[in-house]
Amino acid sequence: MNRRIIFLCVIVVVIYPLYNPIGLPIPISPLTRQLFDYTDALPSGTIIVIDPWMSTGSYPELNPMTVVMLNHLMNLDTKIIIINTHHPETLGIIKDITIPMLDIPTDKVYGEDWVFIGFIPGMELGISSFASNPKGVVTKDGYGGDLTKLPLMQEVTDGSDFDLWIAVGKPDYALRQVQEVYNTPMTCLAPGGGAAEAMPYLASGQLKGVMISTRGAAEYELLLQKPGLAVSGMDATSAVHIFIILGIIIGNIYYVLKQKKIVGNKVLE
Amino acid sequence: MENPLKRIEVPIFLTGVLILLLLLGWGTTITFLKQTSKLVVNSATLIFSLGLLTGLVSVILGNTKKVLKRSEDWYISAWTIIVACVMFILGIFSNPFGEHVLFTWIFKYVITPISATTFSILLFYMASSTIRTFRARNLDALTLLITTILIMLRQAPIGAAIWSGFGPIGDWILTVPSMAASTAVLFGVAIGGITLVFRLVTGKERGYLRRG
């Protein structure tokens, strides 16, 4: 089959449900329920660090998960530190795209209830540096203010003061540098392709909960009763998945029939 | 006489010493070792950020050679140099947090949509290659095919609309066989990592150095 026909069909099955939503029900999976229940039960005053590993290419998948998790945390009595150890471009994504999308309650004060720390270079090294000395590795927050003067940062001296670390993307680095060293509980917002990497840590108890891809974000939005970006894309996801599945099934039926004709010819010879 | 600092034994020795300092600082309560280990990590963080600048210089030098030699598609290299220099200069003349209006505008409305689009193009190629080449030629391929379809029906809400059992089956695949295989891979990676550290400390692994 000419692949241009497949490309055209993909365009149609993605665009049509976006303009004409079908509104398929989205059942809540036990994995998402587990993460929601854990997060909802966090004690008052919990200090949470969230480290989104989003690039400009992966943010369409990871941003809905980050936004829904931050919206949930902002409506609890928790304190949030948003950091970025991934890439300089993630700084711009978090500052200009993610944070403006948040539904921050009016009683949440920047500096007291939540802080955005800019880019900490080094990836796993950056996580290790930040966990060992949060106020020493960078002195300015993501908006150019003095980090050391923010009330929330006065409460943390090292990783043992963090009550929860949320990894958005790969959980391995934070597991090695934070969970193992300071015994900090961790959860993970994993992309679809990285879900298999997170599952062993969930089974061992090192991760307390996992959200998988935009489907997990859609389920979380429904649990929060605030449908948003992730739910709106689920119909298009369903349409593309069904298109691919039908294409695979039809292709394999054609393949089997073609094989039988070849075998049939040999028998006749 | 050969410059002693150019001998290959120098970086090998430095690598071994730094790795040992990191290892000794981990899991110990001796303050000196812990502080030395932290110093090594913080220094590496600084070097990492300087590495970003090195990367920029490398990109500009590499593309400049192509432009000067008028290699194939040299104009793309020229455009790369122009874009890199413009963003670098805009970044220099903004405050350290990229508040320059044009810098932020280009990042938010040009770079981010282009990067997201580039990754989104993968959907078309994945759909095309999956439909045209995914065939059950043997038992392994058939197992992979069935598993793929079950996971896709688990991920999409339409799977639950067709039959409610697709969700639990997909969850079982994720939490049992897939988890078991991932755990095995993690063990392999961990053992490989230990072997690599041993080879780095003893100087047997020289892939990060110049030839030899």
Side-chain angles (χ1 to χ4, degrees):
Chain A
M1 176 191 278
N2 191 327
R3 61 180 178 178
R4 280 170 282 198
I5 298 173
I6 297 173
F7 292 169
L8 191 60
C9 291
V10 169
I11 292 171
V12 170
V13 298
V14 168
I15 290 178
Y16 184 82
L18 290 177
Y19 280 98
N20 298 287
I22 306 166
L24 288 167
I26 303 173
I28 310 295
S29 66
L31 280 171
T32 310
R33 171 71 66 180
Q34 179 185 351
L35 176 64
F36 182 85
D37 291 341
Y38 180 82
T39 308
D40 214 36
L42 288 171
S44 175
T46 300
I47 297 178
I48 299 158
V49 176
I50 181 165
D51 182 13
W53 274 42
M54 293 188 281
S55 63
T56 45
S58 64
Y59 95 90
E61 183 178 18
L62 298 177
N63 193 49
M65 293 196 281
T66 309
V67 167
V68 73
M69 177 55 71
L70 281 170
N71 277 337
H72 190 191
L73 294 173
M74 287 286 185
N75 283 285
L76 299 172
D77 186 18
T78 57
K79 297 179 190 289
I80 306 160
I81 302 172
I82 307 170
I83 69 172
N84 161 36
T85 59
H86 179 221
H87 195 276
E89 66 182 5
T90 314
L91 172 67
I93 294 171
I94 297 172
K95 195 170 157 192
D96 296 322
I97 298 174
T98 306
I99 291 176
M101 289 176 75
L102 297 180
D103 189 19
I104 302 174
T106 48
D107 59 339
K108 288 287 183 185
V109 177
Y110 182 83
E112 288 179 20
D113 301 301
W114 71 282
V115 168
F116 169 50
I117 296 174
F119 176 55
I120 303 169
M123 298 171 96
E124 187 166 355
L125 288 172
I127 293 173
S128 177
S129 300
F130 178 75
S132 65
N133 189 2
K135 292 192 289 284
V137 69
V138 284
T139 54
K140 302 271 186 195
D141 71 355
Y143 299 104
D146 189 347
L147 191 72
T148 55
K149 290 186 179 163
L150 297 176
L152 175 53
M153 296 309 293
Q154 307 303 322
E155 299 180 38
V156 293
T157 46
D158 62 23
S160 57
D161 294 320
F162 303 143
D163 300 309
L164 178 67
W165 186 288
I166 302 175
V168 183
K170 287 170 68 70
D172 312 55
Y173 300 157
L175 276 163
R176 285 195 286 264
Q177 303 300 334
V178 180
Q179 201 275 328
E180 282 296 307
V181 178
Y182 302 100
N183 211 24
T184 306
M186 270 191 65
T187 58
C188 177
L189 313 182
E197 277 184 60
M199 299 313 292
Y201 301 115
L202 185 67
S204 66
Q206 288 165 286
L207 287 176
K208 302 300 181 191
V210 172
M211 185 194 297
I212 300 175
S213 192
T214 14
R215 168 66 190 264
E219 292 170 10
Y220 212 93
E221 284 175 0
L222 292 177
L223 286 168
L224 270 183
Q225 297 176 354
K226 288 182 183 175
L229 207 58
V231 169
S232 64
M234 280 293 106
D235 285 340
T237 303
S238 291
V240 167
H241 277 58
I242 282 296
F243 171 71
I244 293 174
I245 289 169
L246 287 174
I248 291 172
I249 292 171
I250 292 168
N252 276 276
I253 291 172
Y254 174 73
Y255 172 73
V256 168
L257 290 175
K258 202 173 153 191
Q259 289 288 91
K260 281 192 172 176
K261 279 185 187 172
I262 292 168
V263 169
N265 284 339
K266 283 185 182 172
V267 167
L268 284 173
E269 284 166 10
Chain B
M1 184 184 164
E2 191 191 2
N3 187 347
L5 289 176
K6 285 189 176 178
R7 292 175 62 94
I8 199 162
E9 287 81 5
V10 173
I12 292 173
F13 175 74
L14 275 173
T15 304
V17 164
L18 290 170
I19 290 174
L20 281 173
L21 283 174
L22 275 172
L23 288 173
L24 288 171
W26 189 83
T28 183
T29 53
I30 302 171
T31 310
F32 171 73
L33 289 174
K34 283 188 92 69
Q35 284 176 346
T36 311
S37 176
K38 277 185 193 175
L39 179 65
V40 170
V41 169
N42 290 338
S43 304
T45 308
L46 275 173
I47 293 169
F48 186 95
S49 51
L50 284 173
L52 294 172
L53 190 60
T54 309
L56 174 66
V57 170
S58 176
V59 162
I60 291 175
L61 286 177
N63 283 285
T64 304
K65 279 184 197 167
K66 286 186 189 172
V67 171
L68 292 174
K69 283 184 192 170
R70 291 292 191 268
S71 309
E72 193 182 350
D73 295 334
W74 65 269
Y75 45 88
I76 295 177
S77 296
W79 180 241
T80 304
I81 295 167
I82 292 168
V83 169
C85 291
V86 163
M87 291 302 284
F88 180 72
I89 291 166
L90 285 176
I92 290 285
F93 285 106
S94 63
N95 72 32
F97 299 91
E99 290 293 344
H100 193 287
V101 172
L102 191 55
F103 183 94
T104 307
W105 189 92
I106 291 174
F107 179 80
K108 201 171 168 185
Y109 297 110
V110 179
I111 294 174
T112 304
I114 287 174
S115 295
T117 305
T118 307
F119 274 85
S120 302
I121 289 173
L122 285 175
L123 163 66
F124 295 94
Y125 288 104
M126 279 170 59
S128 167
S129 64
T130 306
I131 290 170
R132 280 150 46 102
T133 61
F134 211 165
R135 300 287 179 258
R137 296 178 207 280
N138 50 43
L139 186 60
D140 291 342
L142 179 64
T143 310
L144 183 63
L145 193 90
I146 293 170
T147 311
T148 304
I149 290 175
L150 288 171
I151 292 291
M152 287 174 78
L153 288 169
R154 184 251 178 215
Q155 280 297 100
I158 198 164
I162 295 170
W163 181 48
S164 59
F166 284 129
I169 291 173
D171 284 339
W172 180 85
I173 292 172
L174 269 176
T175 54
V176 180
S178 171
M179 188 272 292
S182 297
T183 308
V185 168
L186 281 173
F187 270 110
V189 168
I191 292 169
I194 294 169
T195 311
L196 180 64
V197 167
F198 180 75
R199 286 173 60 84
L200 282 168
V201 169
T202 54
K204 292 192 189 312
E205 181 62 46
R206 301 181 181 190
Y208 61 100
L209 298 169
R210 61 181 163 85
R211 291 178 205 167

